[in-house]
């Protein structure tokens, strides 16, 4: 089964999974933060979201991306889910998410937009969001918030590649990418180095994914980044470069 097939299956089972979650914790509250630079939009989103599900608790709203970042990184104000507009004056929603995701894996992020969802899709995936929905798609927004509260991504067959990642996996990718101690093209991050080392040890992609606690597409991303940094033509070439440089 491909990752897309798996994602589609997960979406198909969403309602059933949510019923199980309701049975296990029917009274569990989901704390939600909302950021949108339009005061009217903030008020409307807050009212709509609060009415979507009895468990939804709009903990705070704000009109600045920088404020949302600060609150999501705060121990006392951190929500379970941040709902962020994609187009804001001070910081775009993608950068709000990236700043949070590099630091934390325990805040789900759902992007919302009044514009075409497809125009923001790829960057929303890269910055570590769990979903992106139109502001008029209330059912989709509610489902995405419920899943994001559990750190889960929301994907379906109608969405283009690449697919959204769960919060923990997106955090692993972005946190690792932030390590660049060498400052040069060939400075591998810890996870990039680990992936090449494990390939050199004879492990398969699936075994490496299990060892690192990530999905196989994430392993492929680490490998792709490593090859680009090393200027390598192939995995074998990258490993030989690492051996020559005593990287592992």
């Amino acid at each position: 089964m491909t990752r897309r097939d798996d994602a589609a299956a997960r979406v198909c089972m969403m309602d059933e999974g949510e019923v199980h979650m309701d049975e296990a914790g029917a009274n569990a509250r989901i704390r939600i933060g909302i950021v949108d630079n339009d005061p009217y939009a903030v008020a409307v989103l807050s009212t709509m979201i609060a009415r979507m599900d009895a468990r939804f608790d709009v903990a705070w709203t704000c009109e600045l991306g920088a404020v949302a970042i600060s609150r999501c990184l705060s121990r006392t104000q951190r929500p379970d889910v941040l709902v962020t507009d994609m187009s804001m004056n001070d910081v775009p929603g993608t950068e709000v998410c990236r700043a949070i995701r590099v630091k934390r894996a325990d805040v789900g992020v759902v992007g919302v937009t009044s514009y075409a969802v497809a125009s923001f899709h790829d960057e929303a995936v890269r910055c570590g969001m769990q979903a992106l929905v139109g502001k008029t798609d209330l059912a989709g927004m509610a489902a995405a918030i419920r899943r994001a509260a559990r750190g889960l991504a929301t994907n379906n067959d109608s969405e283009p590649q690449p697919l959204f990642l769960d919060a923990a996996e997106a955090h692993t990718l972005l946190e690792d990418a932030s390590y660049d101690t060498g400052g040069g093209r060939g400075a591998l991050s810890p996870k990039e180095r680990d992936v090449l080392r494990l390939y050199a040890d004879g492990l398969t992609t699936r075994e490496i994914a299990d060892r690192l606690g990530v999905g196989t597409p994430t392993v492929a991303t680490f490998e792709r980044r490593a090859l680009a940094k090393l200027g390598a033509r192939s995995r074998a070439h990258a490993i030989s470069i690492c051996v020559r440089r005593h990287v592992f």
Side-chain angles (χ1 to χ4, degrees):
M1 179 180 289
T2 66
R3 182 175 175 80
R4 176 172 285 277
D5 291 338
D6 179 63
R10 289 200 302 173
V11 171
C12 290
M13 295 187 292
M14 185 186 303
D15 291 339
E16 180 182 350
E18 286 168 359
V19 169
H20 292 164
M21 182 178 72
D22 289 345
E23 294 172 351
N27 297 319
R29 306 291 288 176
I30 297 175
R31 283 172 45 84
I32 300 166
I34 301 172
V35 56
D36 192 310
N37 68 319
D38 182 341
Y40 175 74
V42 166
V44 171
L45 272 174
S46 179
T47 300
M48 290 193 310
I49 289 173
R51 292 175 178 173
M52 288 176 180
D53 192 309
R55 293 167 299 169
F56 288 1
D57 175 15
V58 178
W60 50 260
T61 65
C62 65
E63 298 167 23
L64 293 174
V67 172
I69 293 169
S70 176
R71 290 181 180 178
C72 287
L73 298 181
S74 164
R75 182 176 60 83
T76 57
Q77 295 182 289
R78 185 164 62 245
D80 299 309
V81 179
L82 175 68
V83 176
T84 178
D85 185 36
M86 300 302 290
S87 303
M88 293 187 290
N89 293 333
D90 66 328
V91 184
T94 51
E95 292 309 310
V96 169
C97 180
R98 192 186 309 277
I100 295 165
R101 188 59 68 233
V102 167
K103 298 289 186 181
R104 309 205 63 88
D106 54 2
V107 178
V109 181
V110 174
V112 295
T113 182
S114 298
Y115 300 101
V117 169
S119 63
F120 295 104
H121 180 272
D122 288 3
E123 186 57 28
V125 170
R126 284 192 291 269
C127 75
M129 284 187 185
Q130 277 55 72
L132 176 62
V133 297
K135 287 184 178 179
T136 59
D137 182 6
L138 303 187
M141 192 183 304
I145 291 172
R146 293 186 194 104
R147 290 178 61 79
R150 293 181 284 156
L152 301 177
T154 298
N155 291 290
N156 58 63
D157 268 342
S158 65
E159 290 179 335
Q161 290 279 13
L163 297 179
F164 289 100
L165 297 176
D166 293 347
E169 193 161 354
H171 170 65
T172 298
L173 275 171
L174 290 174
E175 181 188 40
D176 186 72
S178 70
Y179 287 101
D180 190 4
T181 56
R185 182 187 182 194
L188 298 182
S189 70
K191 287 294 191 300
E192 292 161 1
R193 184 172 58 250
D194 287 347
V195 165
L196 290 182
R197 177 179 55 78
L198 291 171
Y199 273 128
D201 288 343
L203 274 68
T204 65
T205 301
R206 179 73 266 170
E207 289 169 338
I208 294 172
D210 292 342
R211 178 79 63 89
L212 298 181
V214 299
T216 54
T218 300
V219 173
T221 297
F222 287 134
E223 180 186 8
R224 185 170 60 252
R225 289 191 335 210
L227 265 63
K229 286 182 178 181
L230 296 171
R233 298 183 300 274
S234 65
R235 180 188 302 165
H237 187 202
I239 291 171
S240 69
I241 291 172
C242 288
V243 170
R244 291 199 307 272
R245 295 181 182 177
H246 304 289
V247 173
F248 49 71

